[in-house]
Amino acid sequence: MDPSKEQPSKDNQNKSDHGSFGDDPWRAMGLVGTIGADLAACLGLGYWLGHKADLANGTEYYSIIGLVAGLAIGIITVIFLIRTFAGGKAK
């Protein structure tokens, strides 16, 4: 049998390592975009909820608390996103 006509083994067919970004700029750009959108959504939602609490209670500090809580939640979800994109298990 001619080795040049052999089909590549299953191990060699999918040589791309899903655990790293390697030479795939689209995958890296997707991660960066997802991180930015996630942080923006968490910060925006935290501020909005804090602002609603400020309006209901006549205070001015819940919006700051909402921003800090949104940032904390955003950081946690970004950690899970990075683990998922890098191929690790999100615990």
Side-chain angles (χ1 to χ4, degrees):
M1 186 174 195
D2 186 12
S4 63
K5 293 184 181 181
E6 286 183 21
Q7 294 292 329
S9 69
K10 288 186 179 185
D11 293 336
N12 292 334
Q13 278 180 345
N14 195 1
K15 197 68 170 172
S16 66
D17 184 16
H18 295 292
S20 68
F21 295 110
D23 292 333
D24 191 3
W26 294 107
R27 184 168 163 86
M29 191 167 53
L31 177 62
V32 170
T34 303
I35 288 172
D38 183 72
L39 280 176
C42 289
L43 284 171
L45 184 63
Y47 176 77
W48 181 74
L49 290 173
H51 183 70
K52 289 292 183 184
D54 280 339
L55 293 176
N57 297 326
T59 59
E60 296 181 0
Y61 56 86
Y62 280 119
S63 57
I64 301 297
I65 293 172
L67 275 174
V68 172
L71 180 63
I73 292 170
I75 289 172
I76 290 168
T77 57
V78 164
I79 290 170
F80 286 128
L81 280 171
I82 291 172
R83 283 185 182 172
T84 302
F85 267 78
K89 293 182 180 177
K91 294 181 181 178

